[in-house]
């Protein structure tokens, strides 16, 4: 099994409920974490909470919809840490958008973060790995089950068409990156984790009486840890996580 201690991980949207759960678990296991967030004050508060843990959190201001901030974060990592071993693409936004009545700016904002920003930060990490001669590493994309199977708008969990579009695009991008790296004989693992609704999102998407439908952030973190700790020759390509007895 892979030993995670002393590795460096980059986590996007480190201040979301899921991002915070990921950061807390990895820091407790001794990893150095570069946490990206548009809310630097919230990130710094998380740094204080994690003092005394085996690992360390480095807070960086970064809005994934702004390429210049992604570039700055990449430069900071190269100057101060050299590279990272693990990239966890956790950042994602979901706006209420209609195919008929939705504005182009809302659609653009979703795609800027969920697709374009994710693609750019992934490219920057791959460049760092190559420049430092690191032959292995892991890229984990936190997708959504709606990226694999579209959920009806009238379901218990209403899905924005723009959000579903971005997650479907992520599924394709993930598979294409995996194939490109394999063709170049790279040992970098590309992993997709696709949960159904996570409890952190519940206040916005589900009535309270349907809260049983939600996963807990820890469920996703456990899946992430499992995928990271497989032997070097084993790749968990796709993990789909739903509550037990869920009918999708």
């Amino acid at each position: 099994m892979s030993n995670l201690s002393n590795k460096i991980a980059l986590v996007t949207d480190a201040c979301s409920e899921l991002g915070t759960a990921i950061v807390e678990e990895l820091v407790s296991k001794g990893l150095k974490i570069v946490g990206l967030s548009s809310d630097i004050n919230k990130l710094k508060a998380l740094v204080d909470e994690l003092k005394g843990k085996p690992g360390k959190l480095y807070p960086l201001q970064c809005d994934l919809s702004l390429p210049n901030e992604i570039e700055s974060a990449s430069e900071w990592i190269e100057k101060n840490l050299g590279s990272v071993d693990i990239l966890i693409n956790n950042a994602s936004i979901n706006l209420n958008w209609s195919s008929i009545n939705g504005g182009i700016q809302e659609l653009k904002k979703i795609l800027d973060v969920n697709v374009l920003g994710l693609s750019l930060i992934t490219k920057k990490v791959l460049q760092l790995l190559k420049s430092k001669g690191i032959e292995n590493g892991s890229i984990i994309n936190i997708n959504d089950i709606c990226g694999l199977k579209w959920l009806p708008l009238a379901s218990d969990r209403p899905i924005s068409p723009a959000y579903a579009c971005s997650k479907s695009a992520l599924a394709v991008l993930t598979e294409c990156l995996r194939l490109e790296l394999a063709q170049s004989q790279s040992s970098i693992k590309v992993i997709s984790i696709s949960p159904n609704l996570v409890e952190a999102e519940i206040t916005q998407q589900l009535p309270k009486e349907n809260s049983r439908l939600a996963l807990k952030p820890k469920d996703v973190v456990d899946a992430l840890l499992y995928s990271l700790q497989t032997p070097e020759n084993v790749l968990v390509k796709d993990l789909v996580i739903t509550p037990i007895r869920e009918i999708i």
Side-chain angles (χ1 to χ4, degrees):
M1 303 294 283
S2 174
N3 181 14
L4 294 179
S5 61
N6 299 318
K7 289 188 179 295
I8 304 173
L10 171 60
V11 180
T12 64
D13 197 8
C15 287
S16 66
E17 288 192 55
L18 178 55
T20 298
I22 293 170
V23 169
E24 288 175 343
E25 184 65 27
L26 294 183
V27 169
S28 72
K29 292 189 177 298
L31 280 79
K32 295 178 180 178
I33 305 297
V34 179
L36 304 187
S37 176
S38 57
D39 189 340
I40 190 64
N41 291 327
K42 196 171 181 180
L43 258 182
K44 289 179 178 178
L46 184 57
V47 170
D48 291 337
E49 291 176 21
L50 296 174
K51 284 181 179 178
K53 299 289 185 181
K56 184 175 181 179
L57 171 61
Y58 299 90
L60 290 184
Q61 166 89 30
C62 184
D63 182 338
L64 286 189
S65 68
L66 302 176
N68 62 309
E69 293 198 3
I70 295 175
E71 182 70 35
S72 296
S74 175
E75 290 174 355
W76 186 95
I77 292 169
E78 183 172 22
K79 179 180 179 180
N80 293 276
L81 300 174
S83 184
V84 298
D85 304 292
I86 302 163
L87 168 62
I88 301 173
N89 280 315
N90 169 65
S92 181
I93 62 172
N94 181 14
L95 302 176
N96 186 16
W97 185 87
S98 163
S99 301
I100 299 173
N101 301 316
I104 193 66
Q105 290 304 316
E106 289 80 6
L107 174 60
K108 183 178 184 300
K109 186 172 183 178
I110 289 174
L111 296 178
D112 279 346
V113 173
N114 297 7
V115 179
L116 300 180
L118 180 149
S119 297
L120 182 54
I121 194 70
T122 299
K123 180 179 179 180
K124 291 296 181 181
V125 167
L126 289 171
Q127 289 173 342
L128 287 175
L129 289 170
K130 183 177 181 180
S131 67
K132 302 303 177 183
I134 299 174
E135 299 296 332
N136 52 21
S138 298
I139 296 171
I140 297 184
N141 291 334
I142 306 295
N143 203 323
D144 188 301
I145 199 166
C146 74
L148 310 179
K149 183 174 182 178
W150 299 339
L151 302 182
L153 296 179
S155 70
D156 284 335
R157 182 194 170 193
I159 297 294
S160 159
Y163 177 78
C165 174
S166 72
K167 291 303 183 178
S168 295
L170 178 55
V172 175
L173 287 169
T174 301
E175 182 63 21
C176 289
L177 176 59
R178 189 183 289 134
L179 290 172
E180 288 183 38
L181 290 171
Q183 289 169 353
S184 65
Q185 305 299 309
S186 172
S187 297
I188 296 171
K189 296 182 179 183
V190 181
I191 300 160
S192 175
I193 299 178
S194 300
N196 204 335
L197 185 71
V198 179
E199 199 173 71
E201 309 163 29
I202 199 145
T203 55
Q204 297 180 351
Q205 297 193 43
L206 282 180
K208 291 182 179 179
E209 59 268 24
N210 285 337
S211 61
R212 63 178 179 79
L213 297 174
L215 296 164
K216 296 183 182 301
K218 185 179 185 304
D219 298 325
V220 182
V221 175
D222 287 345
L224 185 150
L225 288 173
Y226 168 76
S227 66
L228 282 175
Q229 295 181 95
T230 56
E232 289 187 4
N233 65 318
V234 174
L235 169 64
V236 176
K237 294 173 64 175
D238 300 280
L239 275 177
V240 177
I241 314 168
T242 71
I244 193 168
R245 298 189 301 274
E246 179 75 84
I247 299 175
I248 299 170

